[in-house]
């Protein structure tokens, strides 16, 4: 081969290499752009999560009134990498659930349903906000959500239990106790308290006194399947079937049999709070009357 031939081959190779390199860099840039847009969207979603969702799904997304939504199978570990079909399916299921809400199949009718949040379903959120929330659930960091939860309102009196002989005056020492133990920083009771976790205003209707005592003594010791009755032992297929038209008739407790692998609850954010048996009795007696 003459020199010109070698030069031509060398040039061609260089061009190909350059092209490949350019493609790689360009692909990288596109990924980075997508990542930064995704990150911005997830950050907006985190604020919305703290404002609207933590109260039922927990500040860590660990599950509370609703199931855990800090779910490994929904999250893309390689952000910007190739998303497989499962992640797209998870995205679609999450968007649909937020948009339209979902009637639960829990055995206890006192467990609130997942509300519909989309504006065309009467909710407060537009499509972009729902995409942001979904980006947060799939790519965001739950560990900092606590900073975005509106602060507690500690003024005023506790809810006076209806159908009981208790008066406002009777509730005052209980409020002091619940303030001292920190309960009201996280939980709302009537119009007093915080928005971190479950609203306790009707808790006596869905939890027995025995359950509450066990729970408050040691939240981490409560098995997942007792935390929210049966616990959203859903598969994606069953979840999607709930949106079929006509909507299926929901039998309370009619979900699949819970097993450790399909129960969607992760370790609770509620701390173990030291107290005497008498203090525990006072609080639980009061909470049991809230129904
Ligand atoms: C009043 C309580 C409540 C609030 C507030 C709430 N949820 Fe839910 N959510 C639920 C319940 C209950 C379910 C489970 C419904 C069922 O049994 O199918 C659920 C289910 C879900 C699911 C589906 C979980 C799964 O396993 O399929 C997603 C996603 C979800 N909620 C997201 C959100 C987001 C995002 C917000 C805030 C905008 C939010 N939820 C606010 C109660 C709530
Ligand atoms: C740091 C926040 C935090 C504090 C403080 C806290 N809790 Fe909780 N609590 C939670 C979370 C999170 C849950 C969600 C339940 C779960 O994870 O399954 C919960 C659940 C509960 C429930 C069950 C609610 C339901 O609807 O099923 C009761 C009852 C309860 N807490 C009572 C108390 C009492 C009483 C105190 C004070 C002694 C207290 N909590 C303090 C975070 C807190």
């Amino acid at each position: 081969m003459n020199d010109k031939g070698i030069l031509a081959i060398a040039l061609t190779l260089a061009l190909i290499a350059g092209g490949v390199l350019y493609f790689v860099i360009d692909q990288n840039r596109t990924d980075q752009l997508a990542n930064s847009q995704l990150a911005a969207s997830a950050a907006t979603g985190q604020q919305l999560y703290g404002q609207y969702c933590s109260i039922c799904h927990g500040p860590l997304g660990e599950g509370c009134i609703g199931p855990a939504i800090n779910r490994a199978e929904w999250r893309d570990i390689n952000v910007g990498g190739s998303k497989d079909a499962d992640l797209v399916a998870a995205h679609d299921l999450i968007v649909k659930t937020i948009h339209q809400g979902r009637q639960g199949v829990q055995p206890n009718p006192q467990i609130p349903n997942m509300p519909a949040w989309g504006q065309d379903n009467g909710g407060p959120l537009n499509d972009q906000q729902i995409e942001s929330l979904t980006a947060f659930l799939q790519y965001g960091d739950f560990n900092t959500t606590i900073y975005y939860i509106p602060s507690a309102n500690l003024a005023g009196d506790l809810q006076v239990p209806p159908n009981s002989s208790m008066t406002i005056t009777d509730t005052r020492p209980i409020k002091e106790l619940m303030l001292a133990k920190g309960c009201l920083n996280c939980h709302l009771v009537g119009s007093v308290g915080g928005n971190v976790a479950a609203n306790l205003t009707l808790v006596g209707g869905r939890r027995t006194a025995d359950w509450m005592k066990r729970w408050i003594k040691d939240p981490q010791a409560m098995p997942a399947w007792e935390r929210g009755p049966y616990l959203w032992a859903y598969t994606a297929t069953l979840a999607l079937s709930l949106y079929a038209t006509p909507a299926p008739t929901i039998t309370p407790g009619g979900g699949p049999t819970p097993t450790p692998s399909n129960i969607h609850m992760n370790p609770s954010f509620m701390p173990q709070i030291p107290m005497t048996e008498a203090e525990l009795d006072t609080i639980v007696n009061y909470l049991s009357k809230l129904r």
Side-chain angles (χ1 to χ4, degrees), residues 52-53 56-57 67 71 74 97-98 102 104 112 114-115 117 232 234:
Y52 294 114
C53 321
C56 283
H57 291 283
R71 297 247 288 276
W74 290 350
T97 305
I98 301 175
R102 194 190 297 166
M114 167 72 179
W117 297 91
W232 303 285
Y234 279 5

Side-chain angles (χ1 to χ4, degrees), residues 86-127:
D86 287 350
L87 289 171
V88 175
H91 167 274
D92 295 350
L93 175 65
I94 296 170
V95 168
K96 195 170 215 165
T97 305
I98 301 175
H99 216 272
Q100 301 181 27
R102 194 190 297 166
Q103 191 187 345
V105 290
Q106 296 303 312
N108 183 341
Q110 297 269 0
I111 303 280
N113 288 322
M114 167 72 179
W117 297 91
Q119 278 170 353
D120 43 357
N121 290 304
L125 303 179
N126 63 34
D127 289 355

Side-chain angles (χ1 to χ4, degrees), residues 63-64 182-183 186-187 197 206-207 215-216 227 268 270 275:
C64 182
C183 319
C186 291
H187 293 289
R206 58 178 182 265
R207 301 295 191 187
W215 170 257
I216 297 164
R227 267 168 63 196
S268 180
M270 173 144 159
M275 63 178 87

Side-chain angles (χ1 to χ4, degrees), residues 3-19:
D3 283 359
K4 270 191 188 157
I6 291 173
L7 191 65
I9 290 170
L11 270 177
T12 312
L13 285 177
L15 270 176
I16 291 171

Side-chain angles (χ1 to χ4, degrees), residues 14-291:
L15 270 176
I16 291 171
V20 168
L21 196 66
Y22 180 79
F23 178 77
V24 168
I25 291 172
D26 195 52
Q27 188 60 37
N28 229 337
R29 255 192 233 125
T30 315
D31 285 351
Q32 273 168 10
L33 186 67
N35 284 359
S36 64
Q37 280 171 350
L38 207 53
S41 181
T44 308
Q46 182 170 35
Q47 297 183 15
L48 295 167
Y49 185 88
Q51 190 180 349
Y52 294 114
C53 321
S54 168
I55 197 161
C56 283
H57 291 283
L60 303 173
E62 77 275 22
C64 182
I65 293 283
I69 49 179
N70 57 355
R71 297 247 288 276
E73 74 265 27
W74 290 350
R75 297 179 70 91
D76 186 357
I77 309 301
N78 296 311
V79 177
S82 64
K83 287 195 206 171
D84 59 27
D86 287 350
L87 289 171
V88 175
H91 167 274
D92 295 350
L93 175 65
I94 296 170
V95 168
K96 195 170 215 165
T97 305
I98 301 175
H99 216 272
Q100 301 181 27
R102 194 190 297 166
Q103 191 187 345
V105 290
Q106 296 303 312
N108 183 341
Q110 297 269 0
I111 303 280
N113 288 322
M114 167 72 179
W117 297 91
Q119 278 170 353
D120 43 357
N121 290 304
L125 303 179
N126 63 34
D127 289 355
Q128 204 184 340
Q129 290 173 310
I130 291 175
E131 281 301 334
S132 295
L133 268 165
T134 307
F136 171 66
L137 297 188
Q138 291 198 284
Y139 306 100
D141 176 9
F142 276 98
N143 291 314
T144 50
T145 299
I146 194 80
Y147 302 123
Y148 300 99
I149 296 173
S151 39
N153 163 35
L154 300 178
D157 283 302
L158 281 186
Q159 172 93 1
V160 179
N163 310 315
S164 86
S165 55
M166 277 182 100
T167 63
I168 287 210
T169 322
D170 298 329
T171 66
R172 291 200 175 129
I174 301 171
K175 179 184 170 186
E176 289 313 310
L177 182 58
M178 290 183 79
L179 274 176
K181 298 294 173 188
C183 319
L184 296 177
N185 289 319
C186 291
H187 293 289
L188 202 63
V189 182
S191 57
V192 180
N195 305 290
V196 174
N199 181 337
L200 299 182
T201 308
L202 293 170
V203 72
R206 58 178 182 265
R207 301 295 191 187
T208 65
D210 283 349
W211 185 96
M212 286 196 262
K213 282 187 186 168
R214 276 174 63 207
W215 170 257
I216 297 164
K217 272 187 182 159
D218 190 356
Q220 305 308 323
M222 185 70 76
W225 58 89
E226 290 188 56
R227 267 168 63 196
Y230 279 29
L231 262 297
W232 303 285
Y234 279 5
T235 57
T237 318
L238 179 70
L240 276 172
S241 77
L242 300 175
Y243 294 103
T245 345
T249 316
I250 312 247
T251 322
T257 309
T259 67
S261 66
N262 67 12
I263 289 174
H264 294 143
M265 294 298 268
N266 289 327
S268 180
F269 188 74
M270 173 144 159
Q272 194 174 13
I273 299 166
M275 63 178 87
T276 64
E277 284 294 320
E279 289 169 333
L280 184 63
D281 281 345
T282 305
I283 294 178
V284 169
N285 277 340
Y286 166 69
L287 292 179
S288 301
K289 294 193 173 81
L290 296 176
R291 43 174 75 234

